[in-house]
Amino acid sequence: MKQHLLVIASVLLALSFTSRNVQALVFEPQNWWTGMAHQSLQILVREPNIKQANWQLIPYQGVSLVGVSRGDSNNYAFLNVEVSPQARSGELHFTYQLKGKSYEVTYPLYPRADNSAQRKGFSSKDVIYLINPDRFANGDIKNDTLLGMREAADPQSRGGRHGGDLQGIIGHLDYLQTMGFSQLWLTPVRENDMPSYSYHGYAITDFYRIDERMGSTDDYIELSVQAREKGLGLIMDMVLNHSGSEHWWVGDPPTNDWLNFGGKFSSTSHARQTIQDPNASEYDKKQFTDGWFVPTMPDLNQRQPLLANYLIQHAIWWIETANLSGIRVDTYSYSDKAFLAQWTRRIMNEYPEFNIVGEEWSADPAIASYWQAGKVNRDGYRSALPSVMDFSLQEALIKALNEPESWNTGWVRVYQSLANDFLYANPNNLLIFADNHDMSRVYTELGQDLAKTKLAITLLLTTRGIPQIYYGTEVLLDNTGSNDHGDIRIDFPGGFAGQTQDAKTQIGLTERQKSMQNYVRQLLQIRNSNTVLAEGKLIHFSPFDGIYSYARSNATDTILVLLNKQGRAVTVDPVRFQEVTKGSHTGHELLTQKPIRLNEMRSIPAHSAQLIHIKHTDR
């Protein structure tokens, strides 16, 4: 696989042309593969006046040019190619005539990597580490500021570029492996050549190009290769709803309907519930879906079939090129919902065991569950999206730990959130988190309370779903006093020159930071050593006296989790848990490795967690 990826990398940045008169054509995608489930390929060609060209494919066994689609701009053509299962890898030779001259160009057709279609996507067996690359680690200071890129490095500015890059992440792979993470989710690293505030990555100006200040496509492939060698998968953050205003198609869209609202700013309402609301007006639905986030993020019209196909193919291209194990989709519900079903279905048809998680920022499970594959929706909508982000549980967790305990506050928030799992087709495939790059850090939200933060992470790593931890949570990164995204996305300790702290070595860390980091590492080791925590059935108990308790159970093992948020010890009665102890008499507590007598009353210390492992053969 490594050799295959590196061969691809060597030719990604430019096509290999042979011609009588070479033209500066841009082909997207730059290459394709044999053996794909979907046999149709549509190649966008960009070049002044290319719309007028007449195209032919020099005969190639198993491949045919079935037509050319043309939009409204003179500067684009779309080559419709069929690649049959019998086609072999090689070079396609296209000829075209323009303004009385003839030209010939080659197009690479690669062999698909072995077992590419059977690749495993991220799952509940994994723990995802979310990184904002610009703020994580600077591995190559030479690319901090580059001639020709609109924004230079400004590490002292909250909203400026700080210089983190792909090489910096590569340099931390040993640390991430040692901690126990198994997947990396990077916020977008594709080109964001915007005049300002470009570090976050969500205003993409070239969907097929890695931002040069982050590195190159070769560097991204190398990150994937080295991460895979250390047992870490790579998840790409994709944006389907919009591009950056400096994208090349904004000034010259291939079709007049490429951008919503005719390419002029009209703000989205953010009224996501209009999609599910049976009483919603068509006006309100359109304003939510077609409206723009901000003037610098033009909203894409995925109802335009040429654009829809472009977005589908670019996702598949990156999966194959970088050997991805998953995709996270930004602002998922803001795109056209018919397109979203088509986009996810095409990808899942190519990779049946892949995983894609969509961001639907709603704490209402009735809205979020609408988008998960397998859900029977009242309006007949059928999604193919495997996973959604569980904002309900995130909000409930923060409230639970900050509120006093009563019949309707505190731990009951988490209990009620998980009780809504009946709304989801597959609650075990939800992405769960305590914080992320768009919200205040969990340590901040919990009032810089170390004990509460440990309880939050304990729940995250032991309940159902796919846990995601935001970079630096393990060393208590904090944005107290500011809600600015630049402070939420604070520099990772040890990733940049001049810092006095280093998370990798614990040099300069406070005792509280060391305690948290060691605790997260211990929890990850426990999770990775006990598959029941990832795949076991969840059985939870109604909160009592500040205790939230639940079990992850299978035929041979149960881990009973007891979380005490009270400032005092709480005694628990073993009778409550007989249905999960299943007649076993002994167990051992995983955090302390102490033996437990299951049939005895026991005390749970203040502000603490217990993870009691029960082997059902020990009776």
Side-chain angles (χ1 to χ4, degrees):
M1 175 62 76
K2 179 176 181 179
Q3 183 179 6
H4 175 79
L5 290 176
L6 294 178
V7 168
I8 292 176
S10 67
V11 294
L12 287 182
L13 297 183
L15 287 171
S16 173
F17 293 121
T18 59
S19 79
R20 290 180 286 276
N21 291 287
V22 177
Q23 291 285 91
L25 289 175
V26 173
F27 276 22
E28 293 187 349
Q30 295 98 313
N31 64 273
W32 205 244
W33 293 267
T34 58
M36 304 297 285
H38 193 78
Q39 297 177 28
S40 296
L41 167 66
Q42 189 169 78
I43 305 170
L44 179 149
V45 186
R46 181 160 56 99
E47 167 69 10
N49 300 311
I50 199 67
K51 178 181 178 180
Q52 312 302 326
N54 294 312
W55 290 84
Q56 287 186 326
L57 172 65
I58 294 176
Y60 190 101
Q61 186 173 359
V63 181
S64 57
L65 176 63
V66 297
V68 180
S69 299
R70 296 173 172 86
D72 299 301
S73 170
N74 285 327
N75 302 322
Y76 302 91
F78 297 83
L79 308 183
N80 300 310
V81 178
E82 291 290 321
V83 183
S84 76
Q86 290 74 40
R88 294 185 178 183
S89 59
E91 286 187 342
L92 305 181
H93 290 254
F94 291 98
T95 63
Y96 65 98
Q97 294 78 42
L98 184 63
K99 294 183 178 179
K101 295 183 178 180
S102 296
Y103 306 91
E104 181 179 316
V105 294
T106 62
Y107 186 84
L109 195 60
Y110 295 131
R112 200 173 185 187
D114 293 341
N115 301 313
S116 175
Q118 287 74 47
R119 70 182 62 234
K120 304 288 186 182
F122 63 89
S123 72
S124 61
K125 298 177 183 178
D126 292 302
V127 179
I128 299 169
Y129 194 71
L130 166 58
I131 296 173
N132 185 283
D134 181 68
R135 304 299 171 88
F136 187 68
N138 191 345
D140 182 3
I141 61 173
K142 297 188 298 298
N143 63 18
D144 291 359
T145 296
L146 293 176
L147 187 67
M149 302 293 289
R150 290 179 172 86
E151 186 176 17
D154 186 5
Q156 304 308 314
S157 171
R158 287 173 168 174
R161 301 191 72 93
H162 288 195
D165 50 33
L166 296 173
Q167 195 59 50
I169 299 171
I170 291 172
H172 281 72
L173 289 177
D174 285 338
Y175 165 75
L176 298 174
Q177 179 190 40
T178 301
M179 282 296 297
F181 298 104
S182 58
Q183 296 283 344
L184 302 181
W185 159 20
L186 279 55
T187 56
V189 294
R190 282 170 294 168
E191 185 187 271
N192 264 242
D193 192 12
M194 300 290 288
S196 62
Y197 204 66
S198 66
Y199 79 92
H200 58 72
Y202 289 98
I204 295 173
T205 55
D206 193 321
F207 282 73
Y208 280 95
R209 187 179 182 87
I210 297 296
D211 195 298
E212 292 180 32
R213 292 160 296 187
M214 292 287 175
S216 65
T217 301
D218 285 5
D219 293 328
Y220 190 71
I221 292 172
E222 185 61 26
L223 169 62
S224 177
V225 169
Q226 290 198 32
R228 189 73 64 169
E229 290 173 351
K230 298 181 185 299
L232 292 153
L234 184 60
I235 300 168
M236 178 175 270
D237 200 332
M238 292 192 175
V239 186
L240 307 177
N241 178 68
H242 54 266
S243 69
S245 57
E246 298 298 329
H247 194 288
W248 46 262
W249 60 35
V250 173
D252 180 24
T255 65
N256 293 337
D257 59 351
W258 201 261
L259 304 176
N260 282 322
F261 285 104
K264 296 181 180 179
F265 175 71
S266 180
S267 179
T268 178
S269 65
H270 298 289
R272 53 184 32 82
Q273 66 276 6
T274 56
I275 302 300
Q276 295 84 9
D277 181 3
N279 307 309
S281 69
E282 294 302 318
Y283 174 88
D284 288 341
K285 291 179 183 179
K286 177 178 174 62
Q287 200 63 43
F288 166 63
T289 302
D290 291 5
W292 300 23
F293 266 77
V294 291
T296 54
M297 292 181 177
D299 206 72
L300 301 177
N301 175 22
Q302 302 90 9
R303 295 178 296 275
Q304 162 50 248
L306 295 173
L307 174 57
N309 212 35
Y310 182 95
L311 294 172
I312 291 168
Q313 290 183 162
H314 108 277
I316 293 171
W317 187 86
W318 278 111
I319 294 169
E320 290 285 334
T321 296
N323 195 24
L324 300 180
S325 62
I327 294 171
R328 181 263 185 181
V329 183
D330 181 64
T331 58
Y332 187 82
S333 63
Y334 286 76
S335 295
D336 179 77
K337 71 177 188 178
F339 159 76
L340 289 171
Q342 177 191 16
W343 184 86
T344 49
R345 193 172 295 116
R346 275 280 304 274
I347 294 172
M348 296 308 296
N349 283 344
E350 289 287 354
Y351 313 98
E353 298 184 67
F354 196 62
N355 208 350
I356 307 169
V357 59
E359 179 197 31
E360 171 54 295
W361 195 325
S362 174
D364 185 348
I367 291 177
S369 64
Y370 178 88
W371 298 105
Q372 192 178 35
K375 179 67 180 291
V376 178
N377 289 303
R378 174 180 170 178
D379 63 0
Y381 182 72
R382 297 179 64 86
S383 176
L385 179 71
S387 176
V388 293
M389 298 172 68
D390 193 349
F391 282 90
S392 170
L393 183 59
Q394 187 277 332
E395 181 178 289
L397 178 58
I398 300 301
K399 288 181 177 179
L401 289 167
N402 282 332
E403 293 177 344
E405 286 297 301
S406 73
W407 68 272
N408 65 346
T409 58
W411 279 126
V412 72
R413 302 280 193 181
V414 170
Y415 182 79
Q416 290 172 340
S417 177
L418 291 168
N420 283 321
D421 277 359
F422 72 92
L423 292 168
Y424 292 99
N426 185 2
N428 290 326
N429 202 29
L430 300 180
L431 190 144
I432 60 174
F433 54 101
D435 59 2
N436 65 24
H437 59 298
D438 287 326
M439 57 180 63
S440 283
R441 289 179 171 272
V442 59
Y443 184 58
T444 304
E445 286 292 290
L446 296 177
Q448 299 176 315
D449 188 310
L450 176 61
K452 287 182 179 179
T453 306
K454 287 183 176 180
L455 287 174
I457 300 304
T458 304
L459 184 138
L460 192 69
L461 293 177
T462 56
T463 192
R464 63 94 175 108
I466 307 165
Q468 165 250 294
I469 291 180
Y470 188 30
Y471 80 93
T473 293
E474 74 273 23
V475 289
L476 300 176
L477 290 191
D478 185 20
N479 61 285
T480 298
S482 171
N483 288 322
D484 189 277
H485 278 189
D487 293 322
I488 292 168
R489 303 160 185 170
I490 189 173
D491 291 349
F492 185 73
F496 299 84
Q499 291 177 306
T500 59
Q501 293 186 326
D502 187 344
K504 287 197 296 184
T505 62
Q506 293 195 336
I507 291 174
L509 297 186
T510 66
E511 291 306 309
R512 290 164 66 85
Q513 287 177 303
K514 292 177 184 178
S515 175
M516 186 68 194
Q517 188 182 49
N518 294 338
Y519 186 73
V520 172
R521 185 185 293 111
Q522 182 184 16
L523 280 176
L524 287 167
Q525 290 171 349
I526 290 171
R527 180 183 176 87
N528 293 336
S529 300
N530 295 275
T531 57
V532 67
L533 285 174
E535 301 178 294
K537 176 179 172 58
L538 173 66
I539 303 167
H540 67 165
F541 299 85
S542 181
F544 67 97
D545 200 10
I547 296 279
Y548 178 52
S549 53
Y550 53 95
R552 304 299 302 277
S553 188
N554 60 26
T556 59
D557 295 83
T558 290
I559 293 179
L560 176 62
V561 182
L562 301 164
L563 305 177
N564 180 12
K565 62 175 280 194
Q566 300 281 51
R568 55 177 173 80
V570 176
T571 300
V572 297
D573 187 340
V575 172
R576 178 184 293 267
F577 307 114
Q578 285 180 346
E579 67 186 272
V580 296
T581 57
K582 300 179 182 178
S584 296
H585 303 298
T586 60
H588 71 275
E589 206 285 313
L590 294 171
L591 293 168
T592 62
Q593 292 300 312
K594 291 182 178 180
I596 297 288
R597 297 287 299 175
L598 298 174
N599 57 353
E600 295 178 356
M601 300 283 285
R602 61 184 174 276
S603 178
I604 311 301
H607 304 305
S608 72
Q610 288 192 358
L611 280 63
I612 302 169
H613 186 201
I614 305 160
K615 293 291 291 185
H616 296 305
T617 55
D618 300 334
R619 297 184 180 180

